[in-house]
Amino acid sequence: MSFPRRRIRPQHGVYALGALCFGLGLAHLVTEGEGIGTTLEAFVICAIALLVVATGYGLPNRPVSRSGKWRALRLAVSVAGSFALLAFAVWLIWVLEGDASEFTFLLAFATSLGSAVGVRGGLYAVEADERLGEARDLTKLLTINQRVLRHNLRNELTVALGTLDRVERRDHGPETDDDVRTARTHLERLLETTDRTREIVSIWNTDQREAFRLRTLLEERAEAVRAAYPEASIATEFDGDPRVRSHPALPTAIEEGIRNAVEHTPSDAAVTVTLRADRTGAAVVGIADTGAGIPQFNVDAIESPTETPLVHTQGLGLWIIYWTVETAGGTFELLENEPTGTVVRITLPTVEAS
């Protein structure tokens, strides 16, 4: 007979911390004997312990990431331990002065108070830190969109409108057809730009996560790019089939990386898609090409804290990958390939198969 395995969650650690504090309160009541003073002291300790437990009960509903909740728990344990050490130091001073009483109360009260202050203060600190990070990301995202719209909209609309002006001023003929095609091309580019910026915003605004088998996903996306570019040479090297939980846009991001490598690689060159695990067990996806490499301004835009002024459609494709990986808790790197070309490296944390 097997029982379903329950995953340990941050609130379980907070419950354990609260139970420890409650146990210290009961231990104080038992060891110090009867008396109204001891009872009140134990009541205060247990009340603080219940506050810790109540914080754990409400933890799943707090607007903090899972990793942030674990960080808050570690802070709580650290603060509780610091308070306990402080209480022990105070007790040692009392011992040196000839008064060794009240050790259990001092230790239990300090530990409980430290736990309550640590878990609640830690949650507020982590939540504020995450909100600040989101605000920075949002600022960066809005900056990207603003510069894209300012740069691409102006350029594409200028060409398209100028072409249409020429159409209006001349009789219809072969040149008219050429101008119409030119206008259509630039308007389609503009439409692609707006679609990509909308997709980037959608990625950032979506909290939904999906589970993916990474090898299967890479095979499907590589095959889709092969179908779109029959002349392209796309090799695959897979080591294992890890399971990851990521943003629903992960297939789009992976295909974007492969497509970008194919589009900027000479026809006689090759693109290689690899999958392996690093030392920590995270899944590492590599998309390597032997082309001329990604323009440096796009690399600088990804790696810098703020977006650089020049942003084109290719750069937007890189931002789709960046934000998808960022929201999944992974990392996105652009590296130089040897002897020429670029390597897009995506590192994602893996999850256990259920």
Side-chain angles (χ1 to χ4, degrees):
M1 182 177 179
S2 62
F3 296 90
R5 182 175 58 184
R6 297 178 62 89
R7 295 180 61 186
I8 298 178
R9 295 181 172 86
Q11 61 264 34
H12 297 153
V14 178
Y15 292 154
L17 193 60
L20 172 64
C21 297
F22 196 85
L24 289 174
L26 294 180
H28 172 66
L29 181 63
V30 172
T31 57
E32 292 297 322
E34 299 179 356
I36 186 65
T38 301
T39 302
L40 289 176
E41 289 172 350
F43 174 78
V44 171
I45 296 170
C46 292
I48 297 175
L50 290 177
L51 176 62
V52 175
V53 173
T55 303
Y57 180 78
L59 191 60
N61 298 323
R62 295 297 293 266
V64 180
S65 67
R66 180 181 175 84
S67 61
K69 292 173 183 176
W70 280 114
R71 185 151 60 102
L73 176 59
R74 289 193 295 269
L75 285 172
V77 173
S78 299
V79 173
S82 299
F83 273 47
L85 289 175
L86 179 61
F88 183 72
V90 171
W91 178 77
L92 284 179
I93 295 174
W94 289 354
V95 169
L96 294 176
E97 294 177 349
D99 183 7
S101 61
E102 295 296 331
F103 174 69
T104 58
F105 170 71
L106 190 62
L107 179 64
F109 178 74
T111 303
S112 301
L113 184 62
S115 298
V117 171
V119 72
R120 297 188 72 84
L123 273 175
Y124 288 126
V126 170
E127 184 175 345
D129 184 60
E130 290 189 349
R131 297 294 83 77
L132 178 60
E134 289 180 1
R136 288 171 178 166
D137 287 345
L138 180 58
T139 300
K140 192 172 185 179
L141 182 61
L142 292 175
T143 302
I144 294 168
N145 285 339
Q146 186 265 346
R147 284 174 173 162
V148 166
L149 293 176
R150 185 179 63 189
H151 182 270
N152 289 37
L153 277 177
R154 182 179 181 84
N155 287 358
E156 302 297 343
L157 285 177
T158 298
V159 174
L161 292 175
T163 304
L164 292 177
D165 285 341
R166 290 196 298 273
V167 171
E168 291 178 348
R169 290 195 300 266
R170 76 161 66 99
D171 296 332
H172 286 249
E175 293 182 355
T176 301
D177 294 336
D178 291 339
D179 285 340
V180 169
R181 280 192 294 270
T182 300
R184 179 181 295 276
T185 298
H186 285 275
L187 291 174
E188 286 176 348
R189 289 177 184 173
L190 181 59
L191 179 60
E192 181 183 4
T193 297
T194 57
D195 286 343
R196 284 176 177 245
T197 55
R198 182 176 59 184
E199 188 169 6
I200 292 173
V201 174
S202 175
I203 291 171
W204 194 86
N205 282 333
T206 302
D207 294 330
Q208 182 182 353
R209 297 293 178 269
E210 292 183 10
F212 296 95
R213 281 291 182 183
L214 208 47
R215 176 171 182 165
T216 303
L217 174 60
L218 291 173
E219 289 175 339
E220 292 175 350
R221 295 303 97 193
E223 189 58 37
V225 178
R226 287 193 190 101
Y229 300 88
E231 73 287 353
S233 174
I234 304 175
T236 55
E237 300 174 7
F238 301 141
D239 181 13
D241 186 15
R243 182 172 178 266
V244 298
R245 183 171 295 278
S246 177
H247 192 281
L250 182 61
T252 302
I254 294 294
E255 183 171 338
E256 187 68 44
I258 302 174
R259 186 181 298 271
N260 186 76
V262 169
E263 290 178 348
H264 298 87
T265 300
S267 57
D268 58 345
V271 174
T272 304
V273 181
T274 60
L275 172 61
R276 61 178 179 83
D278 65 8
R279 295 180 180 178
T280 66
V284 181
V285 176
I287 303 172
D289 65 64
T290 54
I294 296 175
Q296 186 60 40
F297 64 80
N298 278 322
V299 178
D300 293 340
I302 293 295
E303 295 178 349
S304 65
T306 58
E307 173 63 351
T308 55
L310 294 178
V311 182
H312 301 279
T313 302
Q314 179 188 351
L316 288 178
L318 295 177
W319 282 112
I320 290 175
I321 305 173
Y322 172 85
W323 287 112
T324 301
V325 175
E326 179 79 7
T327 56
T331 58
F332 171 49
E333 301 170 275
L334 292 173
L335 309 172
E336 291 185 0
N337 196 13
E338 292 296 338
T340 61
T342 304
V343 178
V344 173
R345 180 182 295 170
I346 299 171
T347 305
L348 295 169
T350 57
V351 295
E352 296 180 0
S354 56

